[in-house]
Amino acid sequence: MKKQLFNENWKFRKKGTDAEQPVCLPHDAMIYEKRSPDAPSTDAAAFFQVGEYVYEKPISVSAKHAFLEFDGVYKDAKVYLNDELKKEYHYGYAPFTVELGSVKAEDVVRVECGIAAEPESRWYPGAGIYRDVNLYTSDADEFVKVNGVKISTLDYKTGKINVKVDAKAADIEILDGGKVIARGYGNDVDLTVSSPKLWDADHPYLYTARITVGNDTVEKKFGIRTVEYNSNGLFINGKNTLLRGGCIHHDNGLLGSATYYKSEYRRIKILKEAGFNTIRSAHNPTSKHLLQACDELGMYVMDETWDMWFFKKNKADYGGKLWREHHNEDIQNMVDRDFNHPSVILYSIGNEVSEPAKPEGLQAVKDMVALIHSLDSNRLVTGGFNLMIIANAAKGKGIYDEEGGRSSDDSGKMKGMNSWMFNFITSLVGPGMNKSANSDKADKTVSPAMDALDIAGYNYGSGRYPLDAKKHPTRVIYGSETFPYTIDENWKMVEQYPTVIGDFIWTAWDYIGENGIGAWAYGKGNAGFTKPYPWWLADTGAYDIIGTPNAEAFWVQAAWGKLERPMITVQPLNHDGRPYKATWRGTNGIDSYSWRNCEGKRGVCEVFYKCDRVELFQNSKKIGSAKVKGSRAKFNIKYQPGTLEAIAYDKAGNELARNMLTTAGPNLQLRLESEEKTVKRNDLVYVNLSICDEKGTVESNADTKIRIEVEYGELLAFGSANPCTEEDIHAGEYTTYYGKALAIVKAKEPGLITVKASGNGMNAETTVRVE
């Protein structure tokens, strides 16, 4: 079939209105809605208003057979062709394909979708056609169907692969750099790639399969890669592999949920360079663009299905009846899409569900594992299960019920724990939750579900690692969700116990919604577990939403032994009083020693490195020596402009490495730096803005409202990582946060894009060539 990107020239309107506007996909309708403290989405979805939307577009081609492939529509999508309903698809995150039949050029596709009722999500979901759409057409009766090619590695040592084609027969060619290296004919063919180049996170080598059926030819990228496990660990191509993981939500920060290849590639590239080798798509199937980026860059993926099963977590969410009726289709669609992506090594059947405590839920675990195994024998099945939730549910203290979203007794009063109560208790207990399900009784309760999985994921259950190494010596486990500040202790157990294969911190990257759950907030109004309007970010990532690392990024790098030198951070000095600390963040430090007008303020300096002790020097004067505990040394400092220098030593007193932070000079300026100097048409350009001195040292306490102007390109968003603000990312004006901001520009036509910034008497500009 002929494939074409079906993203441009849609007409868009809000349901119930006549005002249309042209849009290009991907399009997040929700990110353009107003925010207000009384929004029904509440703090969970960052106080955005919600709505239902209509998208329309002519087919513009005629064909005997036509299919539309949607990578994600949020949610309750109805797809029409000339007012004839062709498909309904309710889940907002999974891909799906619509068979249109024969089409004429004047035919019109209409998609209705959106959020009809609240509360609907535990985080910011976005809305609309927020991922790519592809149109497939053919006039032949024989063609390669959408997701109709599946390539498996049979033996990585010999390079033996299997290619299945959903057709009567096909010519099959395997290409390496454009050269045909293997051929076959049929619809279920074994081939051998001589001297195979294997795919793994360190060597992400990709081959191309070219499939021809009649006049129809398609090409699929794939990697030669196997995934196996036993009581000695996880093995990629026979090599024992530890997962240095991080959880990520689906949104792309300032872009909302709109999913572009460049955005996903940029995020994965940054995380890969930081030492991560695995991401968990929390808590829903990820995008095709992210999988492509992970294939190319070498990043393992745990692709997750849902955050709920037949017990709802919000009254209007996908759980309950919808899940019961459609979850098998969701699995099928995810597996069909993921099958040829070597980066995907794990499928997760859910996050923090309580259902496995009961017979029906346990049976659901077994049924889903069996279904995925029948669809894809090349990968393993897991789940991100909170053992405390399952153990409490078995005692009648479940969090959720099937229809209402929260458990209640006959009088309507809350029973057991509801979602807010669980999160609040978590905020008080913190890492103590890691030991909450360590009893023999809890073990007996959770074990049937854990043992039904290939690999058991423990959310906040690291206290079980040493226990289960003895009690369940054949159960392979990992930390599917962990507190970042427990990384050093957790990683030591990963290295110690063969059955513990990795750790996934919550989170690797900040996200919209769940307002302030990771924030160290100042002021009594911000003391709660979640934060009031105008908070809009979780503030819980090792990287903030514009891609800047903080102390938690350095902490995990130190624990993994991935730092070349000690990283120095200072907890922000431009606040009065002590912060209200959050459960999901062990520090709010950033790598800055430039705090204008904060002279004499006392604060905390943290140094992250794998060593015995650290000495700290302020303006060349030694101010302390501290033992390193958990890959971190802490110092109390009194701020004086100048320098902070940290020197790391081993137990014998030998210097290992040193690093220095410097205060910005008095003459500040704006600096714009495009991450690329040349891009292609319709590509995205990421332009970093900073307030700094002439040497590029960023000033963290001179934040200013900046105006951005773009010539010969489209400004998609401009903003900062400030988690609490009423500013509009589409207004072209935004205040920097700790001296930084980010502009995202779409390249339209070949030529030269110019980006200009101005504010507080400062100006800067940069150019990017579009080819």
Side-chain angles (χ1 to χ4, degrees):
M1 284 189 293
K2 181 181 179 181
K3 175 183 176 182
Q4 66 180 84
L5 192 62
F6 205 61
N7 279 357
E8 297 190 7
N9 302 317
W10 288 79
K11 291 182 179 179
F12 165 81
R13 62 182 171 85
K14 194 165 185 176
K15 204 168 185 179
T17 70
D18 295 324
E20 287 186 336
Q21 66 184 79
V23 298
C24 291
L25 308 182
H27 179 254
D28 177 9
M30 192 174 180
I31 200 70
Y32 294 96
E33 294 280 6
K34 297 295 183 182
R35 297 175 63 230
S36 64
D38 60 349
S41 66
T42 71
D43 56 276
F47 298 104
F48 279 90
Q49 298 291 341
V50 300
E52 296 178 272
Y53 311 98
V54 180
Y55 297 79
E56 290 185 324
K57 176 176 175 170
I59 288 288
S60 300
V61 297
S62 296
K64 188 174 181 181
H65 304 281
F67 300 82
L68 281 174
E69 178 191 38
F70 294 87
D71 198 34
V73 180
Y74 207 91
K75 65 169 198 171
D76 294 322
K78 293 181 180 180
V79 182
Y80 297 85
L81 182 67
N82 300 329
D83 296 326
E84 178 186 353
L85 180 62
K86 288 294 184 177
K87 189 176 182 67
E88 289 187 60
Y89 197 78
H90 295 281
Y91 192 36
Y93 295 107
F96 63 96
T97 300
V98 181
E99 184 174 357
L100 300 177
S102 62
V103 295
K104 302 182 293 295
E106 60 268 25
D107 290 343
V108 174
V109 171
R110 184 173 81 252
V111 179
E112 298 180 0
C113 58
I115 299 173
E118 289 281 6
E120 191 273 339
S121 179
R122 296 197 302 122
W123 55 82
Y124 176 84
I129 310 177
Y130 68 102
R131 292 178 181 169
D132 279 355
V133 180
N134 289 301
L135 173 65
Y136 294 81
T137 56
S138 177
D139 288 321
D141 290 329
E142 276 291 308
F143 49 82
V144 181
K145 295 179 175 63
V146 179
N147 294 321
V149 177
K150 290 184 168 59
I151 306 164
S152 304
T153 300
L154 302 179
D155 188 335
Y156 71 89
K157 294 179 181 178
T158 62
K160 187 177 181 181
I161 63 172
N162 173 265
V163 183
K164 288 183 172 66
V165 183
D166 189 2
K168 292 180 180 178
D171 289 305
I172 301 169
E173 298 173 304
I174 305 302
L175 288 76
D176 184 6
K179 179 181 179 182
V180 177
I181 58 173
R183 285 189 174 91
Y185 181 79
N187 61 11
D188 189 348
V189 179
D190 291 346
L191 298 171
T192 299
V193 175
S194 300
S195 303
K197 304 179 185 73
L198 305 182
W199 188 99
D200 63 22
D202 296 323
H203 310 91
Y205 197 86
L206 294 171
Y207 290 92
T208 300
R210 186 160 62 200
I211 313 298
T212 302
V213 175
N215 294 323
D216 183 20
T217 299
V218 300
E219 293 187 347
K220 298 288 184 181
K221 295 283 188 182
F222 71 97
I224 296 177
R225 190 269 299 126
T226 59
V227 185
E228 299 169 296
Y229 74 103
N230 57 41
S231 58
N232 290 314
L234 176 72
F235 299 86
I236 306 296
N237 300 326
K239 180 182 178 181
N240 196 302
T241 302
L242 301 180
L243 305 180
R244 302 186 301 273
C247 302
I248 61 172
H249 265 307
H250 77 296
D251 74 73
N252 278 297
L254 302 180
L255 295 173
S257 64
T259 302
Y260 296 84
Y261 169 73
K262 177 60 67 66
S263 303
E264 301 286 39
Y265 186 94
R266 176 181 183 264
R267 174 161 52 170
I268 295 303
K269 183 174 184 289
I270 289 172
L271 294 177
K272 176 74 185 261
E273 290 173 348
F276 290 87
N277 69 359
T278 318
I279 61 100
R280 175 191 180 201
S281 66
H283 302 292
N284 44 259
T286 189
S287 70
K288 182 182 291 187
H289 284 320
L290 185 135
L291 296 181
Q292 181 183 347
C294 290
D295 290 346
E296 295 172 356
L297 292 169
M299 180 74 78
Y300 301 125
V301 176
M302 180 207 307
D303 211 0
E304 195 152 80
T305 46
W306 319 274
D307 184 49
M308 73 297 287
W309 292 356
F310 45 82
F311 288 174
K312 289 173 170 287
K313 293 185 177 179
N314 288 282
K315 282 191 175 183
D317 71 22
Y318 184 70
K321 185 174 183 290
L322 286 175
W323 184 89
R324 287 182 183 276
E325 293 177 350
H326 300 290
H327 70 277
N328 284 344
E329 182 183 9
D330 299 337
I331 288 175
Q332 175 85 57
N333 290 345
M334 181 181 75
V335 172
D336 279 349
R337 194 269 314 273
D338 290 6
F339 197 96
N340 296 323
H341 289 282
S343 56
V344 180
I345 62 171
L346 293 161
Y347 295 120
S348 168
I349 59 173
N351 170 67
E352 292 196 337
V353 291
S354 59
E355 289 89 334
K358 304 295 184 180
E360 183 185 8
L362 178 58
Q363 189 59 49
V365 173
K366 295 177 180 179
D367 290 346
M368 286 187 282
V369 170
L371 174 60
I372 294 175
H373 283 165
S374 72
L375 298 173
D376 187 348
S377 60
N378 303 307
R379 293 169 176 87
L380 307 176
V381 184
T382 185
F385 288 168
N386 189 303
L387 308 184
M388 183 180 79
I389 288 178
I390 296 174
N392 282 331
K395 295 186 292 186
K397 298 180 179 180
I399 303 175
Y400 309 107
D401 62 27
E402 183 145 356
E403 295 301 327
R406 293 179 178 178
S407 296
S408 60
D409 59 23
D410 293 338
S411 68
K413 294 180 179 179
M414 291 299 176
K415 178 180 68 174
M417 287 192 298
N418 61 45
S419 180
W420 184 89
M421 289 171 61
F422 167 71
N423 286 332
F424 179 69
I425 290 171
T426 300
S427 72
L428 296 177
V429 175
M433 185 167 56
N434 290 335
K435 301 177 181 179
S436 62
N438 289 0
S439 69
D440 289 339
K441 188 173 182 179
D443 176 66
K444 185 177 180 179
T445 300
V446 304
S447 283
M450 299 301 105
D451 291 335
L453 302 167
D454 295 327
I455 298 181
Y458 290 3
N459 281 18
Y460 310 105
S462 57
R464 290 286 297 261
Y465 297 173
L467 301 177
D468 286 358
K470 297 178 180 178
K471 190 175 295 186
H472 303 286
T474 61
R475 182 188 298 171
V476 180
I477 62 180
Y478 66 99
S480 43
E481 194 169 314
T482 64
F483 298 110
Y485 50 89
T486 63
I487 181 62
D488 196 80
E489 178 184 358
N490 289 347
W491 197 251
K492 286 176 182 177
M493 289 189 284
V494 170
E495 295 178 321
Q496 179 181 358
Y497 300 111
T499 53
V500 184
I501 63 168
D503 181 274
F504 289 74
I505 66 165
W506 189 268
T507 59
W509 202 277
D510 197 16
Y511 57 95
I512 305 174
E514 288 197 295
N515 290 353
I517 70 164
W520 283 32
Y522 299 81
K524 290 183 179 180
N526 297 315
F529 173 75
T530 57
K531 306 299 186 293
Y533 182 86
W535 284 81
W536 75 299
L537 302 179
D539 199 19
T540 186
Y543 283 78
D544 66 26
I545 61 163
I546 69 172
T548 304
N550 55 47
E552 291 198 324
F554 308 138
W555 209 337
V556 296
Q557 288 178 289
W560 295 334
K562 294 294 182 180
L563 289 179
E564 295 182 358
R565 55 185 180 174
M567 294 302 296
I568 311 168
T569 65
V570 175
Q571 295 179 11
L573 296 168
N574 57 348
H575 299 282
D576 293 323
R578 293 183 178 181
Y580 293 95
K581 299 180 180 180
T583 305
W584 274 272
R585 188 181 290 282
T587 173
N588 67 337
I590 63 173
D591 57 335
S592 172
Y593 192 60
S594 195
W595 301 93
R596 182 168 292 200
N597 300 322
C598 292
E599 289 81 352
K601 276 200 170 185
R602 297 190 180 276
V604 176
C605 169
E606 296 163 294
V607 181
F608 300 91
Y609 199 63
K610 206 79 168 175
C611 61
D612 181 67
R613 66 181 178 90
V614 170
E615 290 182 347
L616 187 68
F617 293 81
Q618 185 180 55
N619 296 329
S620 300
K621 180 181 177 182
K622 181 178 176 180
I623 60 172
S625 177
K627 292 285 289 185
V628 173
K629 299 178 181 179
S631 297
R632 175 181 67 164
K634 291 181 67 174
F635 301 87
N636 293 317
I637 62 171
K638 185 176 181 180
Y639 180 65
Q640 299 173 8
T643 61
L644 272 186
E645 185 175 26
I647 305 176
Y649 297 91
D650 63 17
K651 288 184 178 181
N654 300 308
E655 180 180 327
L656 298 174
R658 62 174 64 198
N659 198 8
M660 181 182 289
L661 291 180
T662 304
T663 301
N667 299 318
L668 298 180
Q669 60 186 33
L670 288 182
R671 177 170 293 191
L672 285 175
E673 293 180 290
S674 171
E675 294 182 356
E676 295 175 284
K677 288 300 181 183
T678 304
V679 298
K680 296 180 180 179
R681 180 180 177 271
N682 287 330
D683 206 352
L684 298 191
V685 181
Y686 278 78
V687 182
N688 293 290
L689 180 145
S690 59
I691 297 175
C692 59
D693 64 13
E694 63 278 2
K695 295 180 180 179
T697 303
V698 176
E699 172 54 57
S700 297
N701 197 34
D703 287 321
T704 301
K705 180 171 283 191
I706 303 297
R707 180 165 183 79
I708 289 285
E709 296 179 352
V710 177
E711 296 177 358
Y712 303 106
E714 178 186 359
L715 180 64
L716 294 182
F718 173 59
S720 71
N722 188 346
C724 181
T725 178
E726 292 186 280
E727 292 184 297
D728 183 356
I729 56 177
H730 303 115
E733 290 185 338
Y734 216 90
T735 303
T736 58
Y737 187 62
Y738 295 139
K740 297 180 180 181
L742 177 71
I744 307 174
V745 178
K746 186 175 182 179
K748 289 281 193 172
E749 300 293 338
L752 196 66
I753 294 174
T754 300
V755 182
K756 298 179 180 180
S758 60
N760 197 24
M762 300 179 289
N763 298 277
E765 72 174 63
T766 189
T767 58
V768 180
R769 182 163 298 280
V770 183
E771 295 181 340

